[in-house]
Amino acid sequence: MSFLSLLLALLIEQARPLVRGNWVHGTVRVWVNWISQTLDAGHSNLAWTTWSLAVGLPAVIAAAVHWLLISLFGWPVAIIWSVAVLYATLGFRQFSHHFTDIRDALNVGDERLAREMLAEWQHVEVGSLPRSELLRHVIEHSVLSAHQHVFGVLTWFSVLAALGFGPAGAVIYRMSDMVAHTWQSSPKTTQGWVSDTLQNAARDAWRRVDWLPARLTAVAFAVVGNFEEAIDCWRTYAQRFPDDNDGVVLAATAGALNVRLGGEALRAEDASESYNQDSESTPGRAPEMAHLSSVVGLVWRSVVLWLVLLALLTLARLLG
């Protein structure tokens, strides 16, 4: 079921991606904002309760519908529900248009437009980045987006699918990501304000949820790329990035593609935000246009690797 669901969801998403500002994501954002405004009081215990409800209730609903459909109609109908959940929670098209537009601008030599697109995508100050640094940031953000929008969801869906809760796994990962970023970027005003306690709880929870997917993504990049260099770079440089999980993914990417990543970080447009920090650059070649194509190949080969593994596990289960 997990293999068929993932395959169908990826195919549908490629043919007809979710539009930006769709009602599913809009409804989820309304829920996340409402529960923070209703329960957030700045207390640690209540912060974890708020996060658990924000993430856990949608996951419970996804699992309950899944099992209800299995009990009433059987697994073929339950697959449709799994595909629908995956369609809403994963997908290249949720970020790839940014990557494609920036790449096209660089291909025609319009670096100014590429910088503006990067600034709009990541809500950061780009300034007058040199071409190699612009390429480096595009590579880093694209790889992290691929991890968060594809491989992270794929990981938790596959892990919990073995226990019969696949849709819940996809929802937990996507909701954890959305909650952490939404509450982190909340305006410091009366309406929509989120306490530091709740923000810290959401960030801590996101780090825990993303721990396993980040390492499985790094392993996949190593297998389909330069394995020895990826593993060595992972072991040596991952901890030098500001975020441990992002560092694992970026270090493995740098080794797999032999490209230099890390260094001076972009600054958030809001000067009060301080989560963009510098890191030590990894070894490798300076980023070039050819590396953008290499990133696309690395990601797609990793997707194929995941699907092949799931297909083999499904076949072994059927034959066993």
Side-chain angles (χ1 to χ4, degrees):
M1 289 179 60
S2 58
F3 168 73
L4 288 176
S5 300
L6 284 167
L7 180 61
L8 289 173
L10 288 171
L11 291 175
I12 295 173
E13 199 268 343
Q14 287 298 307
R16 193 176 181 83
L18 273 175
V19 297
R20 280 178 279 183
N22 61 83
W23 70 269
V24 177
H25 292 170
T27 302
V28 170
R29 289 190 181 93
V30 170
W31 161 250
V32 169
N33 289 328
W34 178 84
I35 197 167
S36 65
Q37 294 174 29
T38 303
L39 298 180
D40 183 18
H43 300 300
S44 178
N45 292 336
L46 189 56
W48 283 107
T49 301
T50 304
W51 181 91
S52 299
L53 286 173
V55 174
L57 186 58
V60 169
I61 292 174
V65 172
H66 175 70
W67 278 104
L68 181 63
L69 291 175
I70 288 179
S71 62
L72 293 179
F73 305 105
W75 66 267
V77 177
I79 284 183
I80 297 176
W81 172 247
S82 295
V83 171
V85 172
L86 287 169
Y87 178 67
T89 55
L90 68 71
F92 290 99
R93 296 299 187 92
Q94 296 184 31
F95 71 92
S96 62
H97 57 281
H98 296 291
F99 174 86
T100 302
D101 291 343
I102 294 173
R103 183 185 61 185
D104 291 345
L106 290 172
N107 277 331
V108 299
D110 195 343
E111 295 184 16
R112 181 191 60 79
L113 178 59
R115 293 189 188 96
E116 291 177 357
M117 290 178 175
L118 177 61
E120 181 181 359
W121 178 17
Q122 295 298 320
H123 305 290
V124 290
E125 294 179 359
V126 174
S128 56
L129 279 176
R131 185 180 178 87
S132 62
E133 282 297 288
L134 178 60
L135 285 167
R136 179 176 69 78
H137 284 293
V138 172
I139 291 171
E140 290 181 357
H141 291 305
S142 299
V143 168
L144 291 177
S145 294
H147 162 65
Q148 293 166 5
H149 286 279
V150 180
F151 299 111
V153 175
L154 194 155
T155 296
W156 278 114
F157 177 84
S158 302
V159 169
L160 292 191
L163 303 175
F165 300 98
V171 172
I172 287 172
Y173 186 85
R174 175 56 56 238
M175 288 297 301
S176 298
D177 180 20
M178 181 176 290
V179 162
H181 286 87
T182 299
W183 290 346
Q184 176 67 38
S185 60
S186 63
K188 301 301 182 183
T189 59
T190 302
Q191 184 176 5
W193 176 83
V194 176
S195 69
D196 292 337
T197 303
L198 185 55
Q199 291 185 28
N200 292 335
R203 281 197 301 268
D204 186 37
W206 168 239
R207 281 194 294 268
R208 297 175 187 228
V209 170
D210 196 38
W211 188 91
L212 177 62
R215 281 142 187 86
L216 291 182
T217 298
V219 170
F221 285 175
V223 170
V224 301
N226 188 326
F227 184 83
E228 292 184 2
E229 291 297 328
I231 296 301
D232 181 65
C233 204
W234 173 359
R235 294 175 58 187
T236 305
Y237 290 92
Q239 68 275 14
R240 303 183 187 184
F241 286 83
D243 184 276
D244 291 341
N245 295 329
D246 290 353
V248 168
V249 175
L250 293 175
T253 302
L257 299 179
N258 188 29
V259 60
R260 186 166 63 244
L261 300 179
E264 184 178 357
L266 297 175
R267 302 300 172 188
E269 292 176 349
D270 182 354
S272 65
E273 300 287 358
S274 60
Y275 51 85
N276 286 315
Q277 304 174 32
D278 296 346
S279 62
E280 182 176 346
S281 297
T282 65
R285 294 166 50 198
E288 303 170 353
M289 281 297 297
H291 283 122
L292 297 184
S293 298
S294 299
V295 167
V296 174
L298 184 75
V299 170
W300 274 111
R301 291 196 302 273
S302 298
V303 170
V304 172
L305 175 65
W306 264 102
L307 291 176
V308 168
L309 289 176
L310 287 175
L312 292 175
L313 290 173
T314 301
L315 182 62
R317 184 175 180 180
L318 292 175
L319 294 178

Short mmCIF file of all heavy atoms in Angstrom, two decimals, residues 228-241 247 251 280-283:
data_model
loop_
_atom_site.label_atom_id
_atom_site.label_comp_id
_atom_site.label_asym_id
_atom_site.label_seq_id
_atom_site.Cartn_x
_atom_site.Cartn_y
_atom_site.Cartn_z
N GLU A 228 31.87 7.73 -0.57
CA GLU A 228 32.93 7.94 0.41
C GLU A 228 33.06 9.42 0.79
O GLU A 228 33.19 9.76 1.97
CB GLU A 228 34.25 7.42 -0.14
CG GLU A 228 34.31 5.90 -0.28
CD GLU A 228 35.67 5.41 -0.74
OE1 GLU A 228 36.56 6.27 -0.90
OE2 GLU A 228 35.83 4.19 -0.92
N GLU A 229 33.00 10.30 -0.21
CA GLU A 229 33.13 11.73 0.08
C GLU A 229 31.93 12.24 0.87
O GLU A 229 32.07 13.09 1.75
CB GLU A 229 33.27 12.51 -1.22
CG GLU A 229 34.60 12.27 -1.95
CD GLU A 229 35.78 12.74 -1.12
OE1 GLU A 229 35.64 13.73 -0.37
OE2 GLU A 229 36.85 12.12 -1.22
N ALA A 230 30.73 11.74 0.54
CA ALA A 230 29.54 12.18 1.25
C ALA A 230 29.59 11.79 2.72
O ALA A 230 29.28 12.61 3.61
CB ALA A 230 28.29 11.60 0.59
N ILE A 231 29.97 10.55 2.99
CA ILE A 231 30.04 10.09 4.38
C ILE A 231 31.14 10.83 5.15
O ILE A 231 30.96 11.24 6.31
CB ILE A 231 30.29 8.57 4.43
CG1 ILE A 231 29.11 7.82 3.81
CG2 ILE A 231 30.50 8.12 5.87
CD1 ILE A 231 27.78 8.06 4.49
N ASP A 232 32.28 11.04 4.50
CA ASP A 232 33.39 11.74 5.16
C ASP A 232 33.01 13.19 5.47
O ASP A 232 33.29 13.70 6.56
CB ASP A 232 34.63 11.69 4.27
CG ASP A 232 35.82 12.39 4.92
OD1 ASP A 232 36.30 11.91 5.97
OD2 ASP A 232 36.26 13.43 4.40
N CYS A 233 32.35 13.84 4.50
CA CYS A 233 31.94 15.23 4.71
C CYS A 233 30.87 15.30 5.79
O CYS A 233 30.87 16.23 6.62
CB CYS A 233 31.43 15.80 3.39
SG CYS A 233 31.53 17.59 3.26
N TRP A 234 29.99 14.34 5.82
CA TRP A 234 28.95 14.26 6.85
C TRP A 234 29.59 14.19 8.24
O TRP A 234 29.23 14.94 9.15
CB TRP A 234 28.07 13.06 6.55
CG TRP A 234 27.03 12.71 7.58
CD1 TRP A 234 26.78 13.32 8.77
CD2 TRP A 234 26.09 11.63 7.50
NE1 TRP A 234 25.76 12.71 9.44
CE2 TRP A 234 25.32 11.67 8.69
CE3 TRP A 234 25.84 10.64 6.55
CZ2 TRP A 234 24.31 10.74 8.93
CZ3 TRP A 234 24.83 9.73 6.79
CH2 TRP A 234 24.07 9.78 7.97
N ARG A 235 30.54 13.29 8.40
CA ARG A 235 31.17 13.08 9.70
C ARG A 235 31.99 14.30 10.13
O ARG A 235 32.08 14.61 11.31
CB ARG A 235 32.07 11.85 9.64
CG ARG A 235 31.31 10.54 9.43
CD ARG A 235 32.27 9.38 9.27
NE ARG A 235 33.14 9.23 10.43
CZ ARG A 235 34.17 8.38 10.48
NH1 ARG A 235 34.44 7.60 9.44
NH2 ARG A 235 34.90 8.30 11.56
N THR A 236 32.60 15.00 9.17
CA THR A 236 33.53 16.06 9.50
C THR A 236 32.87 17.43 9.63
O THR A 236 33.23 18.22 10.50
CB THR A 236 34.64 16.13 8.43
OG1 THR A 236 35.25 14.85 8.30
CG2 THR A 236 35.70 17.15 8.82
N TYR A 237 31.88 17.71 8.78
CA TYR A 237 31.37 19.08 8.68
C TYR A 237 29.93 19.28 9.12
O TYR A 237 29.49 20.42 9.27
CB TYR A 237 31.52 19.58 7.24
CG TYR A 237 32.95 19.83 6.84
CD1 TYR A 237 33.70 18.83 6.23
CD2 TYR A 237 33.56 21.05 7.10
CE1 TYR A 237 35.02 19.05 5.88
CE2 TYR A 237 34.88 21.28 6.75
CZ TYR A 237 35.61 20.27 6.14
OH TYR A 237 36.92 20.49 5.81
N ALA A 238 29.17 18.21 9.32
CA ALA A 238 27.75 18.37 9.63
C ALA A 238 27.52 19.20 10.88
O ALA A 238 26.63 20.06 10.93
CB ALA A 238 27.09 17.00 9.78
N GLN A 239 28.34 18.98 11.91
CA GLN A 239 28.13 19.67 13.17
C GLN A 239 28.56 21.13 13.12
O GLN A 239 28.31 21.89 14.06
CB GLN A 239 28.89 18.96 14.31
CG GLN A 239 30.39 19.07 14.21
CD GLN A 239 31.00 18.02 13.32
OE1 GLN A 239 30.31 17.35 12.56
NE2 GLN A 239 32.31 17.85 13.41
N ARG A 240 29.17 21.57 12.02
CA ARG A 240 29.62 22.95 11.92
C ARG A 240 28.55 23.87 11.33
O ARG A 240 28.76 25.08 11.27
CB ARG A 240 30.90 23.01 11.07
CG ARG A 240 32.01 22.12 11.64
CD ARG A 240 33.29 22.23 10.85
NE ARG A 240 34.28 21.25 11.33
CZ ARG A 240 35.52 21.16 10.89
NH1 ARG A 240 35.93 22.00 9.95
NH2 ARG A 240 36.35 20.24 11.36
N PHE A 241 27.46 23.30 10.90
CA PHE A 241 26.34 24.11 10.44
C PHE A 241 25.49 24.50 11.65
O PHE A 241 25.44 23.78 12.65
CB PHE A 241 25.49 23.33 9.43
CG PHE A 241 26.13 23.21 8.07
CD1 PHE A 241 27.06 22.22 7.81
CD2 PHE A 241 25.79 24.09 7.06
CE1 PHE A 241 27.65 22.11 6.56
CE2 PHE A 241 26.36 23.99 5.80
CZ PHE A 241 27.30 23.00 5.55
N GLY A 247 22.54 20.50 8.73
CA GLY A 247 23.96 20.28 8.51
C GLY A 247 24.26 18.89 7.96
O GLY A 247 25.11 18.72 7.09
N ALA A 251 25.96 18.71 4.38
CA ALA A 251 27.30 18.14 4.32
C ALA A 251 27.34 16.92 3.41
O ALA A 251 28.28 16.74 2.62
CB ALA A 251 27.76 17.75 5.73
N GLU A 280 31.15 27.10 8.70
CA GLU A 280 32.40 26.85 7.99
C GLU A 280 32.12 26.13 6.68
O GLU A 280 31.35 25.18 6.63
CB GLU A 280 33.33 26.00 8.86
CG GLU A 280 34.68 25.74 8.22
CD GLU A 280 35.61 24.98 9.13
OE1 GLU A 280 35.29 24.89 10.33
OE2 GLU A 280 36.64 24.47 8.66
N SER A 281 32.74 26.59 5.61
CA SER A 281 32.51 26.00 4.30
C SER A 281 33.09 24.59 4.23
O SER A 281 34.13 24.29 4.83
CB SER A 281 33.14 26.86 3.20
OG SER A 281 32.55 28.13 3.15
N THR A 282 32.41 23.73 3.48
CA THR A 282 32.92 22.39 3.24
C THR A 282 33.94 22.44 2.11
O THR A 282 33.98 23.40 1.33
CB THR A 282 31.77 21.45 2.84
OG1 THR A 282 31.24 21.90 1.57
CG2 THR A 282 30.67 21.45 3.88
N PRO A 283 34.77 21.42 1.97
CA PRO A 283 35.67 21.37 0.81
C PRO A 283 34.88 21.08 -0.46
O PRO A 283 33.72 20.68 -0.41
CB PRO A 283 36.62 20.22 1.16
CG PRO A 283 35.83 19.36 2.09
CD PRO A 283 34.96 20.28 2.88
#
